[in-house]
């Protein structure tokens, strides 16, 4: 499963250590780097894809606010500081949340979930912009991948992620099944149950309440979907 890539920036070792520990407690976060020096962090951000930045504000050389404003395409930022006075400036600069030290894990988790939701909405908007009549571009493993609609055999929901299966392999992307269902508003795609959308052209056979696809995959049909599926397949 793809993780949200994070970095931590704080000139205080104890502050960094606390946030690093919290990040490692959350399965869908991946810590790629941790910095004492914000200038080094800025260089890293210019050369690496990062989803979330956890940053102190008051630091030597440049502040967290200055770092954020210097980025042309900033990732989601959560400020972590001992000073409440910066909260308004932070929100005006576009930060997702603002945590005051000492940070409690429950408050950290709330901020991370807010960041995750913001990233999901952004990716949905990007996905919708990449739609063409016959293909879609998805973000998978840090790169944009072109998938032809005709290639898709089925799509499986895995939490906040989707696994898109084509004959040559599979791709995982962070989009909800509901969002993908709205995007794939095409006559040959059908949501056969809560966790699966299938390409009707990939159906090989139906046995009772199970549909078998051309790649051998068997998928259970929800009882309230069977009649509609049969109608779409022209089965009487």
């Amino acid at each position: 499963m793809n993780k949200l890539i994070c970095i931590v920036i704080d000139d205080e070792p104890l502050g960094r250590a606390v946030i690093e520990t919290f990040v490692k407690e959350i399965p869908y976060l991946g810590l790629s780097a941790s910095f004492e020096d914000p200038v080094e962090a800025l260089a890293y951000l210019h050369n690496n894809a990062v989803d979330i930045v956890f940053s102190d504000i008051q630091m030597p050389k440049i502040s967290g606010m200055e770092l954020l404003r210097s980025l042309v395409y900033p990732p989601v930022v959560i400020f972590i500081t001992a000073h409440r006075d910066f909260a308004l400036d932070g929100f005006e600069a576009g930060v997702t949340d603002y945590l005051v030290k000492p940070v409690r894990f429950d408050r950290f988790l709330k901020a991370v979930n807010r960041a995750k939701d913001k990233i999901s909405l952004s990716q949905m908007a990007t996905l919708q912009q990449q739609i063409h009549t016959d293909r879609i571009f998805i973000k998978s493993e840090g790169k944009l991948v072109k998938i032809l609609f005709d290639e898709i055999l089925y799509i499986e929901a895995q939490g906040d992620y989707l696994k898109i299966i084509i004959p040559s392999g599979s791709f995982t992307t962070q989009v909800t099944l509901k969002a993908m269902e709205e995007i794939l508003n095409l006559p040959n795609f059908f949501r056969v149950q809560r966790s699966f959308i299938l390409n009707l052209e990939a159906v090989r056979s139906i046995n009772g309440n199970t549909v078998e696809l051309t790649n051998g995959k068997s998928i259970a049909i929800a009882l309230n979907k069977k009649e509609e599926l049969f109608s779409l397949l022209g089965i009487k």
Side-chain angles (χ1 to χ4, degrees):
M1 177 180 290
N2 291 345
K3 292 189 175 185
L4 296 177
I5 303 304
C6 312
I7 67 169
V8 178
I9 312 169
D10 194 331
D11 60 309
E12 297 180 357
L14 180 58
R16 286 200 313 279
V18 169
I19 301 306
E20 290 168 11
T21 300
F22 285 175
V23 168
K24 292 172 184 176
E25 289 291 321
I26 300 176
Y28 56 81
L29 296 184
L31 183 65
S32 64
S34 185
F35 298 93
E36 177 180 1
D37 186 341
V39 175
E40 291 181 5
L42 185 59
Y44 184 89
L45 286 167
H46 280 305
N47 294 288
N48 297 274
V50 173
D51 296 303
I52 304 174
V53 173
F54 300 100
S55 178
D56 192 7
I57 294 182
Q58 286 191 309
M59 296 181 289
K61 299 181 182 178
I62 61 171
S63 70
M65 203 77 69
E66 290 168 337
L67 183 148
L68 172 59
R69 288 171 175 159
S70 71
L71 297 171
V72 178
Y73 300 107
V76 169
V77 175
I78 296 174
F79 277 147
I80 302 172
T81 180
H83 304 280
R84 295 178 181 272
D85 299 340
F86 293 109
L88 181 59
D89 289 341
F91 285 123
E92 288 179 347
V95 301
T96 298
D97 210 337
Y98 184 98
L99 303 179
V100 178
K101 298 178 181 179
V103 181
R104 304 190 318 271
F105 181 76
D106 62 329
R107 182 65 183 85
F108 178 83
L109 181 60
K110 183 177 179 180
V112 168
N113 284 330
R114 182 176 293 171
K116 182 161 72 79
D117 290 343
K118 184 175 182 178
I119 291 167
S120 294
L121 288 172
S122 175
Q123 290 178 337
M124 280 176 56
T126 300
L127 194 63
Q128 289 170 336
Q129 291 171 0
Q130 299 296 336
I131 297 173
H132 300 267
T133 57
D134 63 344
R135 63 193 182 276
I136 190 171
F137 283 85
I138 64 165
K139 185 179 180 182
S140 181
E141 297 181 356
K143 59 185 178 182
L144 285 172
V145 178
K146 181 179 74 174
I147 298 178
L148 299 176
F149 291 147
D150 288 346
E151 288 183 316
I152 298 173
L153 299 174
Y154 68 93
I155 301 170
E156 180 181 358
Q158 297 181 337
D160 292 328
Y161 295 82
L162 293 183
K163 188 174 183 181
I164 301 175
I165 309 298
I166 64 175
S168 60
S170 65
F171 300 95
T172 301
T173 189
Q174 191 181 27
V175 180
T176 64
L177 195 64
K178 180 175 175 58
M180 183 60 75
E181 185 179 23
E182 293 174 358
I183 290 166
L184 287 176
N185 186 22
L186 299 169
N188 57 314
F189 285 95
F190 181 67
R191 187 167 180 174
V192 73
Q193 52 138 296
R194 185 177 61 181
S195 301
F196 288 89
I197 295 173
L198 57 83
N199 186 341
L200 298 177
E201 298 298 324
V203 174
R204 170 177 287 162
S205 64
I206 296 175
N207 182 13
N209 292 322
T210 301
V211 61
E212 182 180 324
L213 305 183
T214 52
N215 68 340
K217 174 70 174 181
S218 294
I219 300 172
I221 307 167
L223 293 178
N224 63 341
K225 295 284 189 176
K226 189 171 182 179
E227 183 177 345
E228 186 178 357
L229 175 62
F230 275 39
S231 176
L232 289 170
L233 292 172
I235 301 172
K236 297 181 180 180

